[in-house]
Amino acid sequence: MFAVSLLLLPLLLSSPPVSSSPLVKDQLVCARTSCGAGRECVSTDRGEPVCRCLEQCDEAERWVCGSNGRSYRNHCELHRDACVTQIKIHVEHRGHCVEKPTKKDVSPMVCFLSDRDWLRERAIQWIQEEVESENSTSNVSSASDLLQMYFKTYDDGDSELDSKEFLRFLKHNETALNLTFSNSLETNMLLYRSLCVDALIELSDENADWKLSLTEFINCLTPSYQPYERKCALEDEVFEDGAETQMECNKCVCACGNWVCTALTCTGEHQVEEDVNEGAENEEMTEEEWSRRVSELNALQVDNQH
């Protein structure tokens, strides 16, 4: 018996311990430990089982769509991502996810009071600087005289300035006014002729004909002139500039005392946007048609002065 033991001793000393392999060690320690999907069991330095996220999954392509809207190559990738991000993700369906069209928030293009007042202040400053300039060649002694000269220059003969003529007056010195906000001339024309220029005209248009007489034109660009403060009204409530409301599928914004709305065709859950903006050169919608769109709101319009 003693001789046999001596013969087995070298064999036992030359054989590696069964638990020396990390894989075998993990298998032994984790034999009774079950980890969830996307995780695997490993052994700690103390020989204790612990679950961790899988380092990688197989490359088999069995695509699934996760509840987070992301496509995964297979179930394993989905569960591994849920483990790594610590976010609950379940399979919505097999195959790639189908992208849902994002619902864009369409707002009307408007000129707010701050935009109108900024443009007016710049124009007033330009006129005052031209009067005070020693290099002025206009030979005028006051802002009223200079405005009268410009009125005659841009009036087409009817003794009134409409929005196009007013815009040409403003563009007389667009460097001082900083009228160009983008590289698109069409964008600038739309912004000023259709929005802020109209808002400036409305500012001192006493007879509401959307044209300015000489007196109205001078009043518009006189610093001491204080027009009525106008706000938007709806259902016995008064709203400040910038307030928003919904009219079916259209958004309406309070701007310079008026409700301005988008022109969407409402068809159930789907909305088809018409290429129409207030003041845009588009023959598909006349001014009368546009007025009917917002008549429900502007019929309730009140002047805060009254």
Side-chain angles (χ1 to χ4, degrees):
M1 178 66 68
F2 180 73
V4 174
S5 300
L6 290 176
L7 292 174
L8 291 176
L9 181 61
L11 294 175
L12 293 174
L13 293 176
S14 62
S15 300
V18 176
S19 61
S20 62
S21 170
L23 179 59
V24 174
K25 180 181 179 182
D26 288 345
Q27 291 176 346
L28 293 175
V29 173
C30 296
R32 297 183 179 181
T33 301
S34 176
C35 297
R39 299 170 180 268
E40 61 181 348
C41 178
V42 296
S43 175
T44 65
D45 295 337
R46 297 181 179 181
E48 299 174 349
V50 63
C51 292
R52 69 177 184 186
C53 300
L54 285 170
E55 291 186 0
Q56 62 181 13
C57 294
D58 62 69
E59 297 183 358
E61 291 194 12
R62 293 183 291 271
W63 289 88
V64 292
C65 176
S67 56
N68 57 351
R70 180 179 172 183
S71 298
Y72 294 91
R73 186 168 50 193
N74 49 51
H75 283 75
C76 176
E77 293 285 1
L78 180 146
H79 295 303
R80 179 182 178 277
D81 189 34
C83 177
V84 172
T85 60
Q86 296 184 354
I87 298 175
K88 291 184 178 180
I89 306 173
H90 63 267
V91 176
E92 285 284 352
H93 57 78
R94 294 180 180 179
H96 292 270
C97 296
V98 179
E99 288 190 19
K100 297 180 181 179
T102 56
K103 183 180 179 181
K104 60 180 181 179
D105 183 20
V106 181
S107 298
M109 183 181 292
V110 298
C111 176
F112 291 112
L113 283 174
S114 57
D115 301 321
R116 182 202 68 183
D117 294 344
W118 175 87
L119 183 60
R120 181 181 180 226
E121 290 170 4
R122 295 301 297 270
I124 290 173
Q125 182 181 359
W126 155 44
I127 294 298
Q128 290 176 337
E129 290 177 353
E130 189 167 336
V131 171
E132 297 170 359
S133 174
E134 295 179 359
N135 299 324
S136 175
T137 59
S138 56
N139 297 320
V140 293
S141 58
S142 67
S144 295
D145 292 339
L146 182 58
L147 288 172
Q148 185 172 357
M149 184 195 72
Y150 279 126
F151 185 89
K152 293 179 180 179
T153 300
Y154 294 101
D155 173 29
D156 63 0
D158 63 353
S159 299
E160 291 180 314
L161 292 187
D162 59 21
S163 60
K164 293 182 180 179
E165 294 165 340
F166 200 111
L167 179 62
R168 287 200 294 269
F169 156 70
L170 291 176
K171 289 179 69 65
H172 177 85
N173 194 346
E174 64 180 69
T175 301
L177 293 172
N178 191 25
L179 289 185
T180 305
F181 283 99
S182 70
N183 295 326
S184 172
L185 178 61
E186 291 77 13
T187 300
N188 295 325
M189 291 286 287
L190 175 64
L191 176 61
Y192 284 101
R193 184 194 58 206
S194 303
L195 304 174
C196 289
V197 168
D198 283 347
L200 275 179
I201 290 177
E202 187 181 22
L203 187 72
S204 56
D205 182 19
E206 296 180 358
N207 59 353
D209 62 353
W210 290 101
K211 295 181 179 180
L212 297 184
S213 65
L214 176 59
T215 301
E216 292 171 337
F217 177 65
I218 293 175
N219 283 340
C220 179
L221 299 178
T222 298
S224 59
Y225 178 71
Q226 297 295 329
Y228 294 141
E229 181 183 355
R230 302 183 64 220
K231 298 183 180 180
C232 296
L234 178 63
E235 297 179 355
D236 299 327
E237 291 188 52
V238 177
F239 295 85
E240 298 287 342
D241 202 68
E244 299 179 357
T245 188
Q246 200 74 16
M247 186 176 177
E248 294 183 348
C249 67
N250 286 283
K251 177 187 285 188
C252 300
V253 180
C254 176
C256 295
N258 296 300
W259 288 109
V260 183
C261 305
T262 54
L264 301 179
T265 300
C266 306
T267 56
E269 296 182 355
H270 302 284
Q271 300 178 1
V272 181
E273 182 178 5
E274 298 178 1
D275 187 18
V276 178
N277 283 310
E278 183 187 19
E281 289 186 354
N282 194 311
E283 297 298 328
E284 295 180 5
M285 178 175 285
T286 65
E287 184 176 348
E288 291 75 18
E289 290 171 334
W290 177 263
S291 299
R292 285 197 296 270
R293 287 292 187 101
V294 295
S295 61
E296 181 179 333
L297 294 175
N298 286 336
L300 300 173
Q301 192 62 41
V302 295
D303 193 321
N304 211 37
Q305 182 70 15
H306 302 294

